[in-house]
Amino acid sequence: MQSQPQSLSRASAFPSASPSVVVGLSGGVDSSVAAYLLKQQGYRVEALFMRNWHDDTGLKSGGCSYEDDIMMARLVASRLGIPLTEIDLSQEYRARVVDYMFDEYARGRTPNPDVLCNREIKFDSFLKAALEMGADYVATGHYCRKESLQEAEGEIHRLLAGIDPNKDQSYFLCQLSQDQLAKALFPIGGLTKPEVRRIADEQNLASATRKDSQGICFVGKVHLPEFLQQKLKPKTGRMIEIPKEQAAGGFSPENGNIVGEHNGAHYYTVGQRRGLNAGGGSEPRYVLAVDTDENIVYIGTGDHPLLFRDTIRIPRSECHWIRPDLEPSDDSERRYLVRIRYRQALQPATLRFDREAVVIRFDAPQRAVTPGQFAAWYDREELIGSGVIVD
C-alpha cells in the first residue's frame, strides 16, 4: 500500500447515513480493538495508518519497526473488513514535535513528546485528514473516556480517566481542546488491558499478543543522547555532587564536589539515574538539576532534599484549560488532584491563580519535579487543565 499525500478528500468514502469514524490504526492491540468495537457499535469505520518518522538514528534494537507496524495494521484491517489508508505526516511531526523536543532539551528542560504528538498530530493533522475523508469522528486506542453534556451555553465535553488505573492515559491528552474532543472517540476507555487482550484474542486479531510500544511517540525506544546529537552537539562539562548536608546552599559549583565529566548537560534530565558515570558511592545517585548555560550536571543521592519540591510555578501563558468554563478568576485558590508525569498517582494540591502564574502547592513534597514536563490537574476523575512546568 502506497503512502498518500495530505489531501485525502473522499466524500464517497462514507456513503450511508450512520456515523462515520476514522480510526488511527497503529498495528497495536489497543487501536485494533478500538476499531472492532466501533464496528460492533454500528459506525462506518475506516482506518488510517500514520507514518510520522523515517530516521532510525539512535533507535534501539528490538523496537517495533515501521514494516512490522504496517504489516500488523494491514492484517487487522483485513480481518475486520475495513479499508486502510497510509498517510505520511513526518514533516509535520518533525516540525511540531521533534524540533520542539530539541529546543526544550537545549534549554535544559525535559519535554513530553507524547503530549505534543496528541495535540499537534493525532488530533490536529490526523484529524484534519480524517475530516477531509468525510468522517464524523476520529478514534484512538487511548485508555480514557469522554462524556458530553448539554449545558445552557452549549455542549461541554469532559475528558475522564480510563477505568483501568494501571493504563489510564488521560494525562497524554491534557492539552486537547473542546473542539478536538468534540470529534474524538475513545472506544476502549471503559475496559481494562486484560479485557482488551481477551477481545483481540477472541476475534483472532493479529495484534492480540503484540507487546505495547515504548519510547518516543512514533519514533520508538531510543538512546536519548545519540538521538539528541542530531542537533545538540556533545560538549564536555563538569558533574558536581552536592552533599545532603549542604542542600541549603542550593545549586552552585562552590557548594559541591566535582565527581566526573559529562558530554553535555542537555542530554540529562532531573531524576535520571542511569548513565551518570560518576564513580563509586554506597548510595545510588540521581540528577538533581541541569544548568545548560554553564554546562553543569548536579547530582546527589535518591533521598537528597534538593530532589524534592512542594511548590511549582506555571505561567498563565503556558496554561491550557480543557474545561475553559472552569478557568478561575485571578487572585483565587482551588483544590485539585495533580500529576506531573504519566502513571504518577494523583497528588492533592492547592492551586493559586493570579494574573501572571498558577502556583501549585502540594500537600506532600514531590520527587524529581522536571521543568518542561506537563502538570495536569483533575477534579476527581475529570481532567480539567494542564500547563508546562517552568520552575
Side-chain angles (χ1 to χ4, degrees):
M1 184 173 296
Q2 298 298 313
S3 298
Q4 296 202 8
Q6 304 312 302
S7 178
L8 296 172
S9 180
R10 291 186 292 161
S12 62
F14 297 103
S16 67
S18 58
S20 58
V21 58
V22 167
V23 180
L25 197 62
S26 66
V29 65
D30 298 328
S31 62
S32 301
V33 172
Y36 165 76
L37 292 174
L38 289 166
K39 280 204 67 176
Q40 294 298 108
Q41 293 165 14
Y43 288 94
R44 290 172 293 126
V45 181
E46 288 200 22
L48 268 182
F49 178 91
M50 291 177 281
R51 185 170 190 185
N52 289 355
W53 196 247
H54 293 269
D55 190 354
D56 61 359
T57 301
L59 194 65
K60 293 182 179 180
S61 62
C64 296
S65 68
Y66 158 76
E67 289 79 10
D68 292 339
D69 291 339
I70 186 63
M71 177 188 70
M72 194 66 65
R74 288 169 179 163
L75 290 172
V76 170
S78 176
R79 173 66 181 170
L80 296 178
I82 59 177
L84 173 67
T85 302
E86 183 181 349
I87 182 172
D88 192 326
L89 297 175
S90 57
Q91 290 185 355
E92 293 92 331
Y93 185 79
R94 178 176 285 278
R96 299 167 69 177
V97 178
V98 176
D99 285 350
Y100 174 89
M101 282 181 57
F102 289 137
D103 291 343
E104 287 289 272
Y105 274 105
R107 298 168 61 190
R109 305 191 343 168
T110 304
N112 190 310
D114 295 279
V115 173
L116 268 296
C117 180
N118 285 311
R119 185 184 76 187
E120 302 290 335
I121 304 299
K122 291 180 183 176
F123 293 93
D124 189 80
S125 299
F126 170 79
L127 172 60
K128 289 174 182 176
L131 295 178
E132 287 182 9
M133 293 171 62
D136 297 307
Y137 301 98
V138 296
T140 65
H142 284 102
Y143 286 85
C144 61
R145 295 169 292 149
K146 184 184 83 170
E147 180 182 82
S148 298
L149 306 175
Q150 195 64 45
E151 303 289 348
E153 62 274 19
E155 196 170 35
I156 297 293
H157 305 286
R158 304 174 71 215
L159 178 61
L160 308 176
I163 67 164
D164 187 339
N166 295 317
K167 289 296 295 183
D168 169 37
Q169 294 174 315
S170 58
Y171 173 82
F172 290 139
L173 306 179
C174 68
Q175 288 277 294
L176 295 194
S177 68
Q178 284 288 302
D179 287 342
Q180 290 169 317
L181 280 175
K183 296 294 185 180
L185 298 176
F186 307 111
I188 66 170
L191 300 174
T192 65
K193 186 74 176 192
E195 289 173 326
V196 168
R197 293 279 187 195
R198 176 182 56 78
I199 292 171
D201 182 64
E202 290 174 350
Q203 300 304 315
N204 295 317
L205 300 181
S207 57
T209 60
R210 200 174 191 215
K211 293 182 178 179
D212 292 344
S213 60
Q214 296 180 340
I216 300 174
C217 180
F218 287 112
V219 175
K221 295 181 69 175
V222 301
H223 182 257
L224 190 59
E226 185 178 345
F227 181 78
L228 293 176
Q229 282 174 25
Q230 294 178 72
K231 279 198 173 182
L232 307 180
K233 301 306 179 185
K235 182 181 178 182
T236 301
R238 293 171 291 171
M239 187 167 289
I240 296 178
E241 181 169 14
I242 298 179
K244 283 184 284 188
E245 59 272 16
Q246 294 174 206
F251 299 113
S252 70
E254 295 75 21
N255 194 36
N257 307 304
I258 298 175
V259 293
E261 290 185 341
H262 58 78
N263 290 324
H266 41 255
Y267 299 147
Y268 293 83
T269 185
V270 174
Q272 179 178 335
R273 177 181 176 184
R274 295 183 179 179
L276 301 188
N277 299 319
S282 59
E283 298 180 86
R285 293 164 170 172
Y286 297 82
V287 174
L288 304 178
V290 296
D291 183 342
T292 53
D293 292 331
E294 299 296 328
N295 197 31
I296 296 173
V297 175
Y298 294 98
I299 67 171
T301 56
D303 59 350
H304 199 289
L306 290 176
L307 196 57
F308 293 82
R309 292 171 53 186
D310 59 8
T311 303
I312 59 177
R313 177 181 173 274
I314 299 173
R316 287 300 284 263
S317 61
E318 295 277 8
C319 287
H320 169 77
W321 292 86
I322 292 178
R323 290 287 303 274
D325 57 307
L326 298 181
E327 182 175 2
S329 58
D330 297 341
D331 300 318
S332 62
E333 286 188 353
R334 288 188 183 176
R335 292 284 293 174
Y336 283 116
L337 299 171
V338 180
R339 62 168 45 109
I340 58 174
R341 62 179 64 89
Y342 174 52
R343 285 194 173 179
Q344 181 199 27
L346 289 169
Q347 304 293 313
T350 299
L351 277 65
R352 172 71 187 177
F353 302 90
D354 61 34
R355 183 176 300 177
E356 301 298 327
V358 175
V359 177
I360 301 177
R361 186 174 66 253
F362 292 97
D363 291 4
Q366 301 299 300
R367 186 178 185 277
V369 175
T370 310
Q373 291 278 291
F374 289 88
W377 44 93
Y378 292 71
D379 181 358
R380 289 173 290 186
E381 64 177 355
E382 181 181 5
L383 205 166
I384 305 296
S386 65
V388 179
I389 301 169
V390 172
D391 53 42

